[in-house]
Amino acid sequence: GHGRVNADGRWDGAHVDGADDVGREIPAYLRARWRLVLGRSADPEAVEAVRAWAPIDVFLHDSEHAYGTMRDEYALAWSVLRPGGFLLSDDIDWTSAFDDFARSVGRRPYAVVTAGRRAFGGVRK
């Protein structure tokens, strides 16, 4: 299957190899408002793309689940979220990044617990 070992040394199936792996569910009428940027989320092209979309209502992290990547994506997303917007994240139990970030911005994190694990979380700006 797809995936690789992430920056924390953990197998991470979030890695994708190309456009064929993502975006299939985006309806044709929304395609003009969607842009796939391949590479690391810290790459200048990706950061520029996120900033160009500002302000945004919702950001969903589901890329590399390494602490540094998660923390940096949360910070970037938070900087472009409109007041009342939502920062959402998958696999929040892999690291403490989600809880640490919520604490750093003074927000209470929400979590969905499934099968005994905190699988998904959100913070409202």
PDB file of all heavy atoms in Angstrom, residues 5-17:
ATOM      1  N   VAL A   5       7.717   5.916   6.049  1.00  0.00           N
ATOM      2  CA  VAL A   5       8.064   6.226   7.430  1.00  0.00           C
ATOM      3  C   VAL A   5       8.156   7.747   7.539  1.00  0.00           C
ATOM      4  O   VAL A   5       8.848   8.393   6.750  1.00  0.00           O
ATOM      5  CB  VAL A   5       9.394   5.551   7.837  1.00  0.00           C
ATOM      6  CG1 VAL A   5       9.802   5.974   9.229  1.00  0.00           C
ATOM      7  CG2 VAL A   5       9.262   4.038   7.737  1.00  0.00           C
ATOM      8  N   ASN A   6       7.437   8.323   8.511  1.00  0.00           N
ATOM      9  CA  ASN A   6       7.414   9.780   8.622  1.00  0.00           C
ATOM     10  C   ASN A   6       8.596  10.303   9.439  1.00  0.00           C
ATOM     11  O   ASN A   6       9.460   9.538   9.871  1.00  0.00           O
ATOM     12  CB  ASN A   6       6.069  10.272   9.165  1.00  0.00           C
ATOM     13  CG  ASN A   6       5.840   9.960  10.630  1.00  0.00           C
ATOM     14  OD1 ASN A   6       6.766   9.752  11.410  1.00  0.00           O
ATOM     15  ND2 ASN A   6       4.580   9.964  11.029  1.00  0.00           N
ATOM     16  N   ALA A   7       8.611  11.617   9.665  1.00  0.00           N
ATOM     17  CA  ALA A   7       9.722  12.265  10.369  1.00  0.00           C
ATOM     18  C   ALA A   7       9.877  11.786  11.805  1.00  0.00           C
ATOM     19  O   ALA A   7      10.940  11.939  12.395  1.00  0.00           O
ATOM     20  CB  ALA A   7       9.543  13.780  10.340  1.00  0.00           C
ATOM     21  N   ASP A   8       8.824  11.204  12.386  1.00  0.00           N
ATOM     22  CA  ASP A   8       8.898  10.669  13.739  1.00  0.00           C
ATOM     23  C   ASP A   8       9.308   9.198  13.754  1.00  0.00           C
ATOM     24  O   ASP A   8       9.319   8.564  14.801  1.00  0.00           O
ATOM     25  CB  ASP A   8       7.554  10.814  14.461  1.00  0.00           C
ATOM     26  CG  ASP A   8       7.197  12.265  14.766  1.00  0.00           C
ATOM     27  OD1 ASP A   8       8.098  13.128  14.735  1.00  0.00           O
ATOM     28  OD2 ASP A   8       6.013  12.534  15.042  1.00  0.00           O
ATOM     29  N   GLY A   9       9.600   8.618  12.568  1.00  0.00           N
ATOM     30  CA  GLY A   9      10.002   7.217  12.488  1.00  0.00           C
ATOM     31  C   GLY A   9       8.845   6.249  12.523  1.00  0.00           C
ATOM     32  O   GLY A   9       9.017   5.059  12.773  1.00  0.00           O
ATOM     33  N   ARG A  10       7.654   6.707  12.249  1.00  0.00           N
ATOM     34  CA  ARG A  10       6.447   5.892  12.308  1.00  0.00           C
ATOM     35  C   ARG A  10       5.885   5.699  10.901  1.00  0.00           C
ATOM     36  O   ARG A  10       5.904   6.617  10.094  1.00  0.00           O
ATOM     37  CB  ARG A  10       5.425   6.611  13.186  1.00  0.00           C
ATOM     38  CG  ARG A  10       4.178   5.846  13.448  1.00  0.00           C
ATOM     39  CD  ARG A  10       3.320   6.586  14.456  1.00  0.00           C
ATOM     40  NE  ARG A  10       2.166   5.763  14.777  1.00  0.00           N
ATOM     41  CZ  ARG A  10       1.339   6.018  15.746  1.00  0.00           C
ATOM     42  NH1 ARG A  10       1.528   7.055  16.524  1.00  0.00           N
ATOM     43  NH2 ARG A  10       0.309   5.244  15.960  1.00  0.00           N
ATOM     44  N   TRP A  11       5.359   4.504  10.611  1.00  0.00           N
ATOM     45  CA  TRP A  11       4.736   4.246   9.314  1.00  0.00           C
ATOM     46  C   TRP A  11       3.529   5.149   9.168  1.00  0.00           C
ATOM     47  O   TRP A  11       2.677   5.211  10.053  1.00  0.00           O
ATOM     48  CB  TRP A  11       4.318   2.785   9.183  1.00  0.00           C
ATOM     49  CG  TRP A  11       3.629   2.539   7.876  1.00  0.00           C
ATOM     50  CD1 TRP A  11       2.299   2.385   7.676  1.00  0.00           C
ATOM     51  CD2 TRP A  11       4.246   2.451   6.597  1.00  0.00           C
ATOM     52  NE1 TRP A  11       2.049   2.195   6.342  1.00  0.00           N
ATOM     53  CE2 TRP A  11       3.229   2.242   5.649  1.00  0.00           C
ATOM     54  CE3 TRP A  11       5.562   2.544   6.145  1.00  0.00           C
ATOM     55  CZ2 TRP A  11       3.478   2.110   4.291  1.00  0.00           C
ATOM     56  CZ3 TRP A  11       5.805   2.413   4.802  1.00  0.00           C
ATOM     57  CH2 TRP A  11       4.786   2.193   3.891  1.00  0.00           C
ATOM     58  N   ASP A  12       3.441   5.870   8.072  1.00  0.00           N
ATOM     59  CA  ASP A  12       2.378   6.835   7.853  1.00  0.00           C
ATOM     60  C   ASP A  12       1.767   6.595   6.486  1.00  0.00           C
ATOM     61  O   ASP A  12       2.383   6.863   5.466  1.00  0.00           O
ATOM     62  CB  ASP A  12       2.944   8.251   7.955  1.00  0.00           C
ATOM     63  CG  ASP A  12       1.888   9.327   8.032  1.00  0.00           C
ATOM     64  OD1 ASP A  12       0.752   9.097   7.573  1.00  0.00           O
ATOM     65  OD2 ASP A  12       2.197  10.411   8.543  1.00  0.00           O
ATOM     66  N   GLY A  13       0.567   6.081   6.455  1.00  0.00           N
ATOM     67  CA  GLY A  13      -0.119   5.801   5.204  1.00  0.00           C
ATOM     68  C   GLY A  13      -0.676   7.032   4.531  1.00  0.00           C
ATOM     69  O   GLY A  13      -1.305   6.929   3.483  1.00  0.00           O
ATOM     70  N   ALA A  14      -0.455   8.229   5.093  1.00  0.00           N
ATOM     71  CA  ALA A  14      -1.008   9.454   4.522  1.00  0.00           C
ATOM     72  C   ALA A  14      -0.271   9.880   3.256  1.00  0.00           C
ATOM     73  O   ALA A  14      -0.759  10.712   2.520  1.00  0.00           O
ATOM     74  CB  ALA A  14      -0.952  10.588   5.549  1.00  0.00           C
ATOM     75  N   HIS A  15       0.891   9.344   2.992  1.00  0.00           N
ATOM     76  CA  HIS A  15       1.676   9.732   1.825  1.00  0.00           C
ATOM     77  C   HIS A  15       0.950   9.337   0.546  1.00  0.00           C
ATOM     78  O   HIS A  15       0.420   8.246   0.433  1.00  0.00           O
ATOM     79  CB  HIS A  15       3.048   9.053   1.884  1.00  0.00           C
ATOM     80  CG  HIS A  15       3.897   9.332   0.695  1.00  0.00           C
ATOM     81  ND1 HIS A  15       4.526  10.537   0.518  1.00  0.00           N
ATOM     82  CD2 HIS A  15       4.190   8.576  -0.379  1.00  0.00           C
ATOM     83  CE1 HIS A  15       5.196  10.495  -0.615  1.00  0.00           C
ATOM     84  NE2 HIS A  15       5.003   9.320  -1.177  1.00  0.00           N
ATOM     85  N   VAL A  16       0.914  10.240  -0.416  1.00  0.00           N
ATOM     86  CA  VAL A  16       0.336   9.941  -1.719  1.00  0.00           C
ATOM     87  C   VAL A  16       1.385  10.183  -2.790  1.00  0.00           C
ATOM     88  O   VAL A  16       2.284  10.991  -2.628  1.00  0.00           O
ATOM     89  CB  VAL A  16      -0.936  10.770  -2.024  1.00  0.00           C
ATOM     90  CG1 VAL A  16      -2.041  10.425  -1.051  1.00  0.00           C
ATOM     91  CG2 VAL A  16      -0.643  12.253  -2.004  1.00  0.00           C
ATOM     92  N   ASP A  17       1.259   9.467  -3.877  1.00  0.00           N
ATOM     93  CA  ASP A  17       2.247   9.560  -4.946  1.00  0.00           C
ATOM     94  C   ASP A  17       1.865  10.496  -6.076  1.00  0.00           C
ATOM     95  O   ASP A  17       2.705  10.892  -6.858  1.00  0.00           O
ATOM     96  CB  ASP A  17       2.517   8.169  -5.514  1.00  0.00           C
ATOM     97  CG  ASP A  17       3.177   7.270  -4.488  1.00  0.00           C
ATOM     98  OD1 ASP A  17       4.039   7.771  -3.745  1.00  0.00           O
ATOM     99  OD2 ASP A  17       2.825   6.080  -4.428  1.00  0.00           O
TER     100      ASP A  17
END
